Amino acid sequence: HCCEYMTGGMVVVLGETGRNFGAGMTGGQAYVYDIHNTLERRYNPELIAIRRVGGSGDDVELRALVQAHYDKTGSQRARTLLEDWESQRQFFWHIAPRENLRSIEAANEGAAKSETEEEVVAR
């Protein structure tokens, strides 16, 4: 039940998650490293949305968080991820409450792009 009843802040999970990830999550954001592709079967889709981390601004923030973890702990997993960041970042999910995801994406990709895409869909 990782991030159960989370109301704010940021979590980065570098290991596996159990079932019902994000149950009751109403705020904050999370990143989950999911090399075995199991999170899609373990998260709570009623309140949260997940999407793979791409080349947008969220991967910069995530990399900084993993770097800070490595600097403070010497984590071997963090070191391995940082050494091969370009290929390893594709295994991360970005998770946020459904109601917050649209604003997070707009901030990372630019509000103008989101508006243009909505106009095209409306046609």
Side-chain angles (χ1 to χ4, degrees), residues 7-84:
T7 60
M10 178 76 63
V11 171
V12 178
V13 179
L14 300 182
E16 292 189 34
T17 63
R19 64 180 179 81
N20 212 19
F21 184 97
M25 184 178 178
T26 58
Q29 298 178 58
Y31 294 98
V32 174
Y33 182 66
D34 183 28
I35 197 164
H36 300 295
N37 215 20
T38 58
L39 184 65
E40 286 183 288
R41 297 184 307 271
R42 294 180 174 175
Y43 81 103
N44 186 312
E46 293 176 19
L47 289 175
I48 62 172
I50 66 173
R51 67 173 173 79
R52 286 291 187 180
V53 170
S56 62
D58 59 354
D59 71 320
V60 173
E61 178 181 44
L62 173 59
R63 189 179 195 293
L65 290 166
V66 174
Q67 182 69 55
H69 174 63
Y70 174 71
D71 293 344
K72 292 177 182 177
T73 67
S75 164
Q76 182 59 44
R77 177 162 291 175
R79 179 180 174 192
T80 300
L81 293 171
L82 293 166
E83 287 174 348
D84 190 23

